[in-house]
Amino acid sequence: MSVKNIRFISGENVIADLVEEKSDSIVIRDAIVAMPVNQEGTQLGFAPWAPLQDPDIEDLEVNKSHVMYIT
């Protein structure tokens, strides 16, 4: 497992633990997004990427067709 920045075709940048990379999908855990916390956009806070996710489910599997790049 390693922490990665994942850019989606929707424009979202998600920071998450990359649990597994499959041929057509990735499995991630503890995904968060950075959000501006003031009007100027000079300060950032972090929030869960999937806030309505069932807390009993730790991993999310995402199709690679939604991913632009992983760094």
Side-chain angles (χ1 to χ4, degrees):
M1 222 175 3
S2 60
V3 176
K4 299 290 184 182
N5 175 39
I6 305 163
R7 175 75 174 203
F8 289 93
I9 60 172
S10 64
E12 292 176 294
N13 286 306
V14 175
I15 299 167
D17 284 328
L18 181 61
V19 176
E20 183 180 359
E21 188 167 352
K22 301 178 182 180
S23 62
D24 61 347
S25 65
I26 59 172
V27 179
I28 60 175
R29 180 180 298 157
D30 298 328
I32 58 173
V33 293
M35 303 177 68
V37 295
N38 63 358
Q39 289 185 349
E40 296 81 25
T42 57
Q43 294 180 338
L44 294 175
F46 293 96
W49 180 53
L52 302 178
Q53 177 182 335
D54 183 342
D56 294 332
I57 299 173
E58 291 185 359
D59 298 342
L60 294 172
E61 187 165 353
V62 180
N63 192 301
K64 281 186 175 177
S65 67
H66 299 289
V67 176
M68 288 179 65
Y69 60 81
I70 299 172
T71 59

